[in-house]
Amino acid sequence: MLRLLFFLGLGIGLGGVVVQVVGPPGAGEWTIPVALILLIGSSTLIVIGRSMNGVQTPSAEDIAAARAAGRSALVRVDSLSQTGTQINDQPLCELQVTVRPETGPAFRTVVRRIVAVIDVPRFQPGTVHPGVVLLEGGPEVAILNDDGGVPVRVPSVPDAASAGPLLLPESGTRVSGGRRRRPLLGVGRRGRPARLALMAVLALVAATAVVLPYRTALTQTIAALPSGRWHSDLREPGPFRDALTALQAETGHDQLVSISVSDDLIVVDAPLTPGALPTDRLTYRRGSVERDGAATIQPRTPAEAFSTSELDWDGVWATVTTIAAERGYPLDGISLSVSRTSDSDVDSPTFAESVGAVRVYATVSDDYRSESIVMSADGALVPSAG
């Protein structure tokens, strides 16, 4: 189970790294602390668990059941050594012991237990203690602090040489409820490939669950990598249309008052509903839409809005990139915006309001110069008024 938690944390951490690279700012911030908690916590407990491997901590019910079944025993310590592990500042020790059960032959085994520093003299080689054989035939043995008031009806413990070979408890098991209990996932070599496969699948599922909400951003990153970019250029027609689709899904309509476009960010002002004056500002970045609240400048008339279907962005992008190339401007120096022109008819009731034709305004620049370009919604150049 602890290994499953470790690989769960690993998957969350890997997924978090991916979404922080491909997603919008703040994406996946929760994943790193959660992953670290799972990784550090589970790995610490795994190390502790490994050091405690073979330590039997039977319940009072297990001990009582062993006594009732006639498995009381005398246990003589033949050797004592410290494992180098300390639990609560007390040494974990390995004792080689000879066991003389109430019934059946004597045998030798190993007992791992925490021995308090003040109790080390009590477990020196040659000392004999009451105990129980936890399962019929052993070799799992519990050394008791007392015999519970019940005399151990066994003869003396034979010497180690005549008690046979050393019998080791099965690795990774413990006795509980009169049975050997194994971990949910085995620890032996036989099932290692299956365990590794299961853990890899768990990590993959965890990573996928983290990345799934940002799958659009991941897809855009994959598409942008061949061009040497980590993220799609939102000024290009394909990514631009994807952004408008996402914005339309958020607003529920295709009406916009203005659009500002840079390579990694699109900001729009959109009415709450078609024909309404209250307008919100929304931001599209790396596959995600954020609603930023009320727009700074609210429209004065619903006629300021336009439909995104009026835009031919293929034509717009072709025009502006062609002009930039002809005049020696880098593509990185292009920014665009879209809005309606102002009504210049002084006799019109909408004079000075933005209810005219839809226009695309582009700026091309480098470190030393800058030019403005005005286009119609289909990308055709609009001559300067001057």
Side-chain angles (χ1 to χ4, degrees), residues 87-156:
I87 308 296
N88 293 331
D89 296 326
Q90 302 299 330
L92 178 64
C93 296
E94 185 171 280
L95 293 77
Q96 288 193 15
V97 299
T98 300
V99 181
R100 185 63 163 109
E102 186 174 339
T103 59
F107 60 89
R108 297 171 60 220
T109 188
V110 172
V111 174
R112 289 167 63 89
R113 62 174 288 163
I114 298 170
V115 178
V117 174
I118 60 173
D119 287 337
V120 169
R122 191 162 67 89
F123 288 94
Q124 288 303 302
T127 57
V128 179
H129 307 270
V132 292
V133 181
L134 295 172
L135 293 177
E136 186 67 36
E140 294 87 351
V141 173
I143 299 176
L144 307 180
N145 293 325
D146 58 69
D147 62 8
V150 179
V152 179
R153 300 179 297 276
V154 296
S156 60

Side-chain angles (χ1 to χ4, degrees), residues 224-235:
L225 285 176
S227 60
R229 296 176 57 91
W230 281 104
H231 309 287
S232 294
D233 188 340
L234 298 179
R235 301 167 302 177

Side-chain angles (χ1 to χ4, degrees), residues 326-368:
E326 290 174 348
R327 300 178 186 179
Y329 290 102
L331 291 181
D332 289 346
I334 299 174
S335 60
L336 305 103
S337 64
V338 184
S339 60
R340 288 192 181 276
T341 59
S342 297
D343 185 354
S344 58
D345 184 354
V346 295
D347 297 322
S348 171
T350 58
F351 172 67
E353 294 181 1
S354 300
V355 295
V358 176
R359 290 288 183 261
V360 180
Y361 303 92
T363 300
V364 291
S365 62
D366 57 21
D367 293 338
Y368 303 98

Side-chain angles (χ1 to χ4, degrees), residues 193-281:
R195 291 196 304 274
L196 290 176
L198 174 62
M199 293 171 186
V201 168
L202 177 63
L204 180 61
V205 169
T208 301
V210 172
V211 174
L212 194 60
Y214 305 96
R215 56 189 178 278
T216 301
L218 178 60
T219 301
Q220 291 178 352
T221 295
I222 293 172
L225 285 176
S227 60
R229 296 176 57 91
W230 281 104
H231 309 287
S232 294
D233 188 340
L234 298 179
R235 301 167 302 177
E236 296 179 353
F240 179 78
R241 283 191 290 269
D242 292 340
L244 292 187
T245 300
L247 289 162
Q248 184 174 339
E250 173 66 24
T251 61
H253 57 80
D254 67 350
Q255 300 294 300
L256 299 176
V257 175
S258 66
I259 309 175
S260 296
V261 187
S262 61
D263 63 337
D264 66 344
L265 185 70
I266 294 179
V267 179
V268 302
D269 288 350
L272 298 183
T273 57
L277 284 177
T279 299
D280 270 358
R281 175 155 292 181

